Each structure stands twice: as C-alpha cells, then as structure tokens.
Amino acid sequence: MRISVPTEIKDNEFRVAITPAGVHALVQRGHVVTVQAGAGLGSAIPDADYAAAGATLTEDVAGLWSEADMILKVKEPVADEYELMRPGQLLFTYLHLAADRPLTEALLSRRVTSIAYETVETDDGGLPLLAPMSEIAGRLGAQVGANELLKPRGGSGVLLGGAAGVRAGQVVVLGGGTAGLRAAQVSAGMGADVTVFDVSPSRMRYIDEVTDGRIRTRYSTEFDVARACADADLVIGAVLVPGSRTPSLVTHEMVTNMRSGSVLVDIAIDQGGCFEDSHPTTHTDPTFTVEGITFYCVANMPGAVPYTSTYALTNATLPYVLQLADSGWQAACAARGDLARGLTTHDGVLYTEGVGQALGIEVGDRAALLA
C-alpha cells in the first residue's frame, strides 16, 4: 500500500501522524511510505530519521495526496486540503464531524473512505485512539486554566493551591472520563479544591477509589452544576459523547452568575463544546471573554506539546495502521469491531449515527457494507 503523511497545517499544530519506528514497521512489510519534508520537525523528528527508516521525503504536497492509497494525519483536513482528497482514498485521522458540516460534506462529495480515531471503540466502550490525547488535554486543561487565572492574563488572581490562611481555588470538572479525571488530578495536585460532575455512578465510585476521596464527585444536574459554577474559579468542560455533538451544560445565564475573572476551559470544543458561549479558538488567539469570564476553547490543545503527543498517539494508532495497510480497510474493519465502529464515510455515504443526528444526514448500514 502507498501511505502518505502530510505536514499538519492547522493553526499551531505541530504533531505528526507517524514516527520513524512506525515508518520502519510499514516498510518492512513491503509498504511504501511518503512523508512530507518537515512534517516531523515540530515534534523534534528530523527528516533524516524518516529517511533512515525507509520513508521517501517530498515537498510536492499535491503529489503526496494524489499518489496515496491511505493518508495518515493527526487533525482533520482543513479547507485548503479538501480538494486534495480523491475518491476511494482512505483517510485515517481525528475528524470530529458532528461539529463540522463543511468537512463532512467534503468527505461525502469527494467519496473518501474515512476512519475517525475518536470513534474507534472497543467492545467494552473504550476509546483507544482518543484516550492518549484526552489524557494530555485533561492535564493541559488544568495548566492553562491556572495560567489564565493570573491577574496579568485578565484572571481573578486566584492561585489554585491557595496559601496558608487563604482558601484554595475552586475547580469544577464536567465529565469524569479520561480527560476529566486527568484534569481533576492535576488540579488537585496543585492544591485546588476539586469537584467532578458525572452521570455514571460506577465512574464516580471509581474516581473516589483511585483518588482516596481527595476529589469529590457529584451527580450532574443542571441545578447543581449551576450552583457549583457560581462558586468556581475554574470550570473545565470534559464531556464526551463518542461520535456525537457534546451537550451544552453551562448556559450563558450560569456564566453571568460566576465571579468576574473566573475561567472556563472547554476541552470538548472539537465536538461542539459543552459551554453555550463556546466557539473554537486557536493557540495563536486562545481566549475570549464573556461577561468578564475568560473562555479557553482551543480545538487542538495537545498540539501545544507535540513531542509528548506524537509519541503517545502513534503508540496507539500504529497497530491499526499496520492492519489497515496489510489487509485493506474493508477486511480490517470486518475483522475488528473496534475499527469498524470508526468507519465514518465511504463512497459518498455517512456511517456514524451521532454525526447523522447532529447534522441531519442519512446514515448507511455499516454492517451491510462490511458483509
């Protein structure tokens, strides 16, 4: 199979979709790997390392896309890349289509076969390709939230860890999944007073057990979330509905009742966000204010720590990449239920139920396709 790895061009996205070790594994199996020159530099991987692993380096972006049977990326294609996609091509990357109608329509009109990292789901509900980036985004959420609370940044001037005789910062985390738990743990590690809201009793019990009760858990209701936000210095939104648009849990009215200078970090923004006032921002211009409250809504947070993120992500994706390359997408999806659940588009048809519901697009029968 001919596999191409383009340089990511999303704002301040420094990750790359494969490491030299991954290239070597593919080449050893007889596949041809082409990497765009400079694709790994943001992750401290020089072109020479890819060449030594057996990759072909190129500066011809159009050629790289046109010749590929499979495109490996980290983030979804942006508008400048839509015309580079061709019918029948396999695209393996994060997509987050429930909040992105233009890309969804482009994939369908270009008749691209796409498999989304974030909807590859194991039989027990695990999300193996989303988990490493959720872990990193959660940890970053606490860090950037603490930074935005600094007075020179426009925050309230509250230190999350407090000081002797001074209260600690109040942190509310919405969602107790991988990202939410990591955000809560880092916040608690800074000395903050942390509460996690979730709707799963078993997940709340798990959080209580692994943190020895240091992090409080509460069942998520609109009434209790509103009261908690009113007292919070930092709210971190980490709600996830795999493949679907994120529900909005913090309304504009709730924001108006928060203390001036408080901060909201929306980790779920790439799926639409869980704050009513959220809209995607970039690392170049990461924040905006509403009613004196700072919103941080960067849609590719792990891109800020590309060395860590690239290796964490490719550790998870490589086994799937190898199977797709060796067997082809249809046989690989037929053999693996988790990979099949990630199948998003093929030959002009959408196959992810949550995306169809969010965008009002008819969804095809995935089981019939793979049969």
Side-chain angles (χ1 to χ4, degrees):
M1 182 177 282
R2 295 169 302 176
I3 302 158
S4 290
V5 183
T7 299
E8 299 293 326
I9 60 174
K10 192 179 182 76
D11 180 88
N12 278 276
E13 179 53 71
F14 301 106
R15 290 173 287 182
V16 63
I18 199 166
T19 61
V23 169
H24 182 266
L26 286 164
V27 171
Q28 288 290 97
R29 293 167 181 258
H31 305 294
V32 176
V33 183
T34 302
V35 177
Q36 185 176 343
L41 295 181
S43 298
I45 304 173
D47 288 345
D49 287 4
Y50 284 115
T56 299
L57 279 297
T58 184
E59 296 183 359
D60 180 5
V61 178
L64 176 142
W65 279 81
S66 66
E67 296 171 3
D69 300 310
M70 176 164 61
I71 294 286
L72 295 181
K73 287 181 89 304
V74 176
K75 289 301 292 179
E76 70 283 352
V78 299
D80 288 345
E81 295 172 309
Y82 292 175
E83 293 300 315
L84 296 173
M85 301 186 294
R86 62 174 176 80
Q89 193 168 62
L90 174 61
L91 174 65
F92 194 33
T93 187
Y94 288 116
L95 288 173
H96 301 292
L97 296 184
D100 196 339
R101 178 179 292 277
L103 175 58
T104 304
E105 293 177 346
L107 291 170
L108 295 175
S109 67
R110 304 291 292 180
R111 309 183 84 83
V112 174
T113 299
S114 62
I115 298 176
Y117 291 163
E118 74 274 9
T119 53
V120 172
E121 183 175 355
T122 60
D123 291 342
D124 62 359
L127 300 169
L129 305 188
L130 185 62
M133 296 302 96
S134 294
E135 182 176 358
I136 290 170
R139 289 172 170 163
L140 281 172
Q143 288 185 208
V144 300
N147 187 61
E148 295 302 329
L149 281 169
L150 299 177
K151 198 67 176 179
R153 295 287 301 167
S156 62
V158 170
L159 180 66
L160 287 185
V166 184
R167 73 168 180 86
Q170 303 290 308
V171 177
V172 170
V173 179
L174 304 178
T178 301
L181 178 56
R182 295 298 179 261
Q185 288 175 318
V186 172
S187 299
M190 293 181 187
D193 189 348
V194 184
T195 302
V196 175
F197 282 85
D198 205 281
V199 294
S200 169
S202 62
R203 187 62 181 177
M204 288 188 282
R205 281 193 294 271
Y206 173 78
I207 292 172
D208 185 69
E209 290 169 2
V210 299
T211 65
D212 293 324
R214 296 191 309 275
I215 296 172
R216 289 188 300 275
T217 57
R218 292 178 64 182
Y219 189 84
S220 181
T221 65
E222 182 178 351
F223 180 80
D224 283 331
V225 168
R227 293 178 63 184
C229 287
D231 293 330
D233 299 293
L234 171 61
V235 179
I236 299 174
V239 177
L240 173 69
V241 181
S244 300
R245 190 177 181 91
T246 303
S248 182
L249 300 185
V250 176
T251 66
H252 178 76
E253 182 180 358
M254 293 179 192
V255 170
T256 62
N257 291 324
M258 293 180 67
R259 289 191 289 263
S260 180
S262 297
V263 175
L264 292 93
V265 175
D266 200 340
I267 293 174
I269 190 61
D270 50 11
Q271 285 289 102
C274 53
F275 308 144
E276 182 181 359
D277 294 306
S278 288
H279 62 75
T281 61
T282 66
H283 289 295
T284 299
D285 187 15
T287 64
F288 59 92
T289 60
V290 175
E291 304 290 349
I293 309 301
T294 298
F295 282 70
Y296 182 99
C297 303
V298 175
N300 60 326
M301 289 177 64
V305 286
Y307 179 87
T308 301
S309 296
T310 287
Y311 283 93
L313 178 60
T314 55
N315 287 344
T317 59
L318 183 58
Y320 294 92
V321 171
L322 294 176
Q323 187 154 6
L324 287 167
D326 289 346
S327 305
W329 72 266
Q330 194 157 6
C333 288
R336 299 192 62 148
D338 53 353
L339 197 56
R341 295 181 190 102
L343 181 64
T344 302
T345 63
H346 170 67
D347 199 22
V349 179
L350 178 68
Y351 288 97
T352 303
E353 187 68 35
V355 176
Q357 292 175 353
L359 301 181
I361 299 175
E362 184 178 351
V363 176
D365 186 338
R366 184 186 289 130
L369 172 67
L370 296 178

